[in-house]
Amino acid sequence: MMNTAHAFQRQRVTLRHGFWLISALALSVLTACASSGDQVSGAMEVTIKPGDTANCDSSPCQVSLQMPPGSGTYEVTGNEVKIGDFPAGQTVSLGSLWQSNAIKVVGANVPAAYVYIPSQP
């Protein structure tokens, strides 16, 4: 009787873990489908546009941004810190970044771009 109860309890735990795993996978697939940007990767540099998600294999990583169309300049921030003002419609260098950043073009009404950069040991 003890072995049957233990087996039943183990089965419930396995089913519960399976449910969470399936839910997490479904959420990640839906999130990926909902993304409006591209998945970009690079070894020492990446070029992104608003809405992209990039993985850079090195730190620092040279990051360039394709600015949205418009006239004049836009302020660009990384993790809420101003990187600089850049001309609309141009591909610009944001410099060498040492950590992951959420890149935003202030006032352009475009989605943020995300750059994932490995941590330094």
Side-chain angles (χ1 to χ4, degrees):
M1 186 71 165
M2 244 353 202
N3 287 340
T4 305
H6 182 67
F8 178 71
Q9 192 173 26
R10 188 175 28 185
Q11 222 174 13
R12 276 188 19 195
V13 169
T14 302
L15 286 173
R16 192 175 330 135
H17 288 298
F19 172 76
W20 286 109
L21 179 62
I22 290 170
S23 297
L25 288 172
L27 181 61
S28 67
V29 168
L30 288 174
T31 302
C33 292
S35 174
S36 61
D38 294 327
Q39 297 289 323
V40 181
S41 63
M44 297 177 66
E45 64 181 296
V46 292
T47 299
I48 56 173
K49 63 184 182 303
D52 284 354
T53 300
N55 289 305
C56 196
D57 294 337
S58 63
S59 179
C61 181
Q62 176 65 39
V63 178
S64 296
L65 175 66
Q66 293 175 6
M67 296 293 289
S71 60
T73 61
Y74 289 111
E75 177 181 323
V76 176
T77 63
N79 293 344
E80 304 295 326
V81 175
K82 183 176 181 177
I83 295 174
D85 295 311
F86 300 97
Q90 302 287 321
T91 298
V92 299
S93 173
L94 302 182
S96 294
L97 302 181
W98 292 83
Q99 64 183 5
S100 297
N101 272 270
I103 308 293
K104 296 181 181 173
V105 181
V106 179
N109 197 26
V110 293
Y114 298 93
V115 179
Y116 296 98
I117 300 171
S119 299
Q120 289 286 21

